[in-house]
Amino acid sequence: LLKDLLGDLSGKEAVVIGRSNIVGRPMAQLLVDADTTVTIAHSKTRNLPEVVRRGDIVIAAVGRPGMVRGSWIKPGATVIDVGINRVEGEDGKTRLVGDVAYDEAKEVAGAITPVPGGVGPMTIAVLLRNTMVSAYRREGIELAKDAL
């Protein structure tokens, strides 16, 4: 997603908010592998808004609804909201929100993923692709490089 949007990531500064083994740490490693400078932050990071404000790329995966405020975002930064939080709406029904206060952040960010509808569909597509690749390999079928 980031490479498609930004192209070469080398030299960019990324802030990953969240240190889980499922999202935060693997994301940080992928960004390091893409030659970005990575800071891993979390809910207990001192001066978290200042840390986040340094990021050309911000990955929010902290598990707290609306924690990342628009004022924390560097103008023009790319924000990927991985959070999926169910909160009660004004009508008493629950709704999904991310870890980023979307309405605030979209005014500042150069690009931002919504919740729902952001990284979730991409995750499903990649899982389906990996399932197809696995099935092909299991059956000994050669995959063309551009097939999937």
Side-chain angles (χ1 to χ4, degrees), residues 115-146:
V115 175
V119 297
M122 186 190 72
T123 302
I124 292 166
V126 171
L127 287 170
L128 288 172
R129 179 196 179 279
N130 290 346
T131 300
M132 289 295 300
V133 168
S134 180
Y136 271 64
R137 286 181 180 160
R138 180 176 173 202
E139 296 301 317
I141 301 169
E142 185 78 23
L143 268 174
K145 286 189 178 192
D146 61 352

Side-chain angles (χ1 to χ4, degrees), residues 14-129:
V15 177
V16 178
I17 311 166
R19 54 190 169 179
S20 74
N21 290 329
I22 295 172
V23 177
R25 292 176 191 205
M27 186 74 232
Q29 187 60 55
L30 287 168
L31 290 164
V32 166
D33 292 347
D35 297 323
T36 62
T37 300
V38 178
T39 300
I40 299 176
H42 47 81
S43 62
K44 305 226 185 307
T45 297
R46 284 191 203 139
N47 301 316
L48 184 58
E50 290 176 31
V51 172
V52 173
R53 216 170 281 117
R54 292 194 310 248
D56 302 308
I57 299 166
V58 176
I59 311 294
V62 72
R64 293 191 180 177
M67 180 178 165
V68 180
R69 311 308 302 191
S71 62
W72 298 15
I73 306 298
K74 176 181 181 178
T78 300
V79 180
I80 307 295
D81 191 346
V82 183
I84 300 175
N85 305 285
R86 191 167 293 280
V87 297
E88 191 167 324
E90 294 175 14
D91 58 1
K93 295 181 180 178
T94 61
R95 60 187 177 95
L96 291 178
V97 298
D99 292 345
V100 177
Y102 181 82
D103 289 335
E104 294 175 17
K106 75 177 181 181
E107 300 300 321
V108 182
I112 184 169
T113 58
V115 175
V119 297
M122 186 190 72
T123 302
I124 292 166
V126 171
L127 287 170
L128 288 172
R129 179 196 179 279

